[in-house]
Amino acid sequence: MRTINTCGQQHYSPLIPAVKALCEASKGEKLEIIMDDAAAFNDLKEYLAEQKIGFREIYEGEQMRVQFVV
């Protein structure tokens, strides 16, 4: 599983590295995106749902994780 941690991202949206990883992933690859920005996290979940990609949500304090298979 490849993990992309966007926590503390201040220069640009945390969605950028998340979507970049999604675009670069091979079919069948497992990804885990870690965020601490609730709005971006919700946007990512909405995008995955629109693309019909099933995902798992994990909440750990300030961090939110989404795991899925491309």
Side-chain angles (χ1 to χ4, degrees), residues 13 15 35 37-50:
S13 171
L15 287 174
M35 297 183 156
D37 180 319
F41 186 70
N42 288 330
D43 288 343
L44 178 60
K45 292 190 309 180
E46 183 177 335
Y47 175 77
L48 293 172
E50 288 172 358

Side-chain angles (χ1 to χ4, degrees), residues 6-7 14-15 34-46 57 59 61-65:
T6 68
C7 294
L15 287 174
I34 305 170
M35 297 183 156
D36 59 359
D37 180 319
F41 186 70
N42 288 330
D43 288 343
L44 178 60
K45 292 190 309 180
E46 183 177 335
E57 301 172 55
Y59 297 90
E62 298 292 318
Q63 290 186 351
M64 298 156 281
R65 300 171 183 253

